[in-house]
Structure formats: C-alpha cells, structure tokens
Amino acid sequence: MEALRPYLDQVHHADAREFLGQLPAESIDAVVTDPPYFLDKLDDSWTPEKATPKSYKRQQVQHLPPGMRFDPTQGKRLYEWYLPIAQQLFRLLKPGGFFFTFASPRLFHRVALAVEEAGFWIRDTFLWIYTQSQPKAMGLHHFIERLPLPAEAKQALHTRLHGWKTPQVKSVYEPIIVAQKPYTGTLLENFLAYQTGLFQTRIPVGQGMFPANLLLVEETETVLDKYFLLPKARGEPTDHPTAKPVALCQYLIELSTVPQAVVLDPFAGSGSTLIAALHSGRHFIGIEINEAYVALARKRLQEVTPPLFA
Ligand SMILES: C[S@@+](CC[C@H](N)C(=O)[O-])C[C@H]1O[C@@H](n2cnc3c(N)ncnc32)[C@H](O)[C@@H]1O
C-alpha cells in the first residue's frame, strides 16, 4: 500500500498504456472500467469534439449513427489494443482480484478474448439492461433515391422494400465481462491473504434478492424491477457522452471488494467509477487521457459529500 499511496484518490491525466507501468504489482483490489468500444470514432484517439452530441446529430443525417457504421476490422484492432492493457492489469491486480470491463454487444467477444489471453479467467458476463436508447437501423429511402432509375422504378422499389432497414436493432443492453485473476490456494485461503476473490452477496438488489447477472438501474415497471433493480446512487448527471451510471459501478465495487480496497479505472472518463468508489468507502485511482474529461471527473469528485479522503 505504501508504494501506491502517491497515486491514490486522484484522477491522473495520462495515457493508461504508459501510466499503468508505473504502478506496483499486485497492489489493486479491483478494476472497474469502460474502455473505448472501437465503434465508429470512439476508438483509442477520440476527443470531446469527435464525440459531441453535435457531431452525432450531423452524422445521423448523412451516415449511420455513431457506433453503428459496420467495419469488420474494428474487432481485430480492439483486441490488439486491449491485450497489452489487460496484461498490465493482470500484473497490477492482487491474486483473485476482479476485472470488470464494459464492452459493446457487437465486439465484447474481442474484449473477452484479450482479457482471457492476458491470463484472466472469465467468470461470467453480466448484462446491464436499459430502456433509453435510439433505434440504430437506417431506412433505404436515400439509397433508393440515389439510384440511376426512372421515378416509377424508384417508387416500385420503395413499395417492395417497405419496412426493410440496415441490420441493426435498438440496443438495450451492454455486457460487462467479469474476469478474475487466478487465485492462490483455495478461494478461502486467497481471501484471507488478499481480501479478494469472493463476492459480497448481502447487497440489496431488487426486493432483497440475491445478486444476479442481470442489472437494472432505472425502473422498467415490469417484473424485472422486483428482482434486478439496483439501489439508486448519488452523483449521476454528467456531460460525458458515454458516462456509466454510478449505481452500476458502485454495485460492482461493493460486490467484489472490501471497504478501504483500491479500485482502478484506467479509462475514467467523467469519473463514474471513482465517484462510486468514494461513496463506497474504497480508494480509487483514475486515469484519463483527455484533459476535458479529467477536469469533469475532478469536478464531480469534489462535489461528493462527505469527502471521505481529503
Ligand atoms: C467509454 S469512456 C469512459 C466513460 C466513463 N465510464 C464515465 O462514466 O464517464 C472511455 C474513456 O477512455 C478515455 N481514453 C481513451 N484512450 C485512453 C488511454 N489510452 N488512456 C486513458 N484514457 C483513455 C477516453 O477519453 C474516454 O473518456
């Protein structure tokens, strides 16, 4: 813990690929992170300008919405980018420590492969279900209109292709891959030595239900709420385009770590994981490459009351 102290409870403005190498081995209790998904422009070099709602709007008129332009090379690039990061995280985690990584439904298999290749065991895949999302499919109207055909032929095509759209559906879930660094001895021996490797199951979910691998943070007014709704968390609103709910991060942290544990988020964005750690009485280390998001995360952290770590 001493070697880690200078890094604790801060958002570091850095490239995670370089910064992670500075941190001491086997010092981190859990990693909860939401890396770039490598869809459309949200790859390893995004900026707020590339990801602003304004540019989304502009794109929706001319192209497919962000994240939905199909590019079969994205998965391979994501894998190659994430593997060395996962290897660093493997070095940093204590034996038995958990690595929760969000991913997109389209490319989560590549994320899981990189994580497994780095040495982790894939223990589960949680599904975060949400209802607020835009349909992604695009109609064919503009494409038909651009064809070099007489008006009647175009009209016939419109009629024939009524209802057909590009092959995307409305996305209503995100996978969270649950990986674990192999533990030493038995799970109990590992927990007694490192305080990692087990799940704390007495977290209130739904109406006091046992934790499951389906998670909700907003009411759906269906039977799902009864079983899977997480308790509300404070500190939700943010300007980051892909901010994750604090409640979700807090749940993952409290499920897998003990109080005072150290939680790392190498792709901190607006700091949702870090805020969740603070609310849970855990230490955090955040890394974020983009200055504007570093400022946003620091501002959100300052607003957390009471400040547990001054
Ligand atoms: C999906 S977002 C994380 C959002 C975050 N979960 C939140 O709730 O705000 C991914 C973040 O990773 C950052 N990022 C991308 N490449 C990075 C790198 N090499 N090192 C550190 N941060 C990086 C991006 O700037 C972006 O803010």
Side-chain angles (χ1 to χ4, degrees):
M1 189 77 157
E2 260 331 291
L4 204 58
R5 204 166 291 285
Y7 300 99
L8 286 183
D9 306 320
Q10 294 171 51
V11 190
H12 302 272
H13 179 208
D15 185 331
R17 289 167 296 183
E18 292 153 17
F19 192 87
L20 290 173
Q22 298 176 29
L23 300 176
E26 300 199 351
S27 58
I28 303 293
D29 293 271
V31 176
V32 177
T33 199
D34 171 31
Y37 285 0
F38 273 65
L39 298 175
D40 200 49
K41 293 188 168 151
L42 304 184
D43 56 14
D44 54 336
S45 62
W46 86 12
T47 60
E49 298 72 45
K50 278 190 188 173
T52 50
K54 205 169 151 209
S55 73
Y56 277 16
K57 262 192 210 137
R58 211 171 42 241
Q59 281 183 358
Q60 271 169 359
V61 179
Q62 291 164 0
H63 309 290
L64 296 179
M68 284 302 127
R69 193 178 309 133
F70 188 71
D71 173 355
T73 69
Q74 286 165 331
K76 191 161 178 293
R77 285 195 288 121
L78 173 58
Y79 173 85
E80 284 164 2
W81 179 80
Y82 212 36
L83 177 57
I85 292 165
Q87 286 166 332
Q88 277 293 344
L89 298 174
F90 187 86
R91 184 184 68 83
L92 296 179
L93 274 164
K94 295 178 183 172
F98 285 97
F99 173 19
F100 297 94
T101 175
F102 287 80
S104 70
R106 212 187 98 204
L107 296 180
F108 83 96
H109 60 294
R110 289 288 188 169
V111 173
L113 275 178
V115 168
E116 196 173 53
E117 190 61 26
F120 287 96
W121 291 334
I122 306 291
R123 299 292 307 224
D124 209 322
T125 302
F126 291 0
L127 289 189
W128 164 39
I129 310 264
Y130 51 86
T131 57
Q132 309 289 323
S133 78
Q134 297 289 326
K136 307 287 187 194
M138 201 179 182
L140 302 171
H141 185 85
H142 295 294
F143 300 104
I144 294 173
E145 281 306 307
R146 270 193 247 131
L147 292 175
L149 293 174
E152 312 81 74
K154 285 183 187 171
Q155 192 45 54
L157 265 186
H158 285 307
T159 309
R160 180 174 157 204
L161 295 175
H162 180 69
W164 291 99
K165 293 200 169 189
T166 55
Q168 292 105 2
V169 291
K170 185 171 143 108
S171 204
V172 292
Y173 79 90
E174 281 196 23
I176 305 167
I177 294 160
V178 182
Q180 183 176 32
K181 180 165 172 174
Y183 46 83
T184 54
T186 65
L187 272 169
L188 177 60
E189 285 163 353
N190 189 92
F191 192 82
L192 295 176
Y194 298 101
Q195 306 202 81
T196 53
L198 299 176
F199 279 166
Q200 170 53 264
T201 57
R202 298 185 78 97
I203 308 176
V205 182
Q207 292 172 5
M209 301 300 291
F210 200 81
N213 56 10
L214 189 69
L215 306 167
L216 289 177
V217 296
E218 45 174 344
E219 286 175 24
T220 60
E221 287 171 24
T222 68
V223 71
L224 293 180
D225 297 353
K226 186 171 163 198
Y227 297 107
F228 308 117
L229 191 62
L230 302 183
K232 284 205 187 322
R234 288 168 290 151
E236 295 290 3
T238 147
D239 291 335
H240 195 286
T242 65
K244 291 291 175 287
V246 171
L248 203 53
C249 302
Q250 192 162 340
Y251 173 78
L252 300 175
I253 289 169
E254 293 183 10
L255 185 71
S256 63
T257 64
V258 297
Q260 299 289 319
V262 179
V263 178
L264 169 67
D265 185 351
F267 304 103
S270 65
S272 307
T273 301
L274 318 181
I275 289 165
L278 201 46
H279 282 314
S280 305
R282 272 66 166 175
H283 293 280
F284 63 82
I285 299 176
I287 308 169
E288 169 56 49
I289 201 166
N290 203 293
E291 205 171 359
Y293 298 147
V294 172
L296 179 58
R298 286 182 181 154
K299 182 168 172 286
R300 289 179 79 203
L301 282 159
Q302 271 167 10
E303 286 162 7
V304 173
T305 48
L308 299 180
F309 306 108

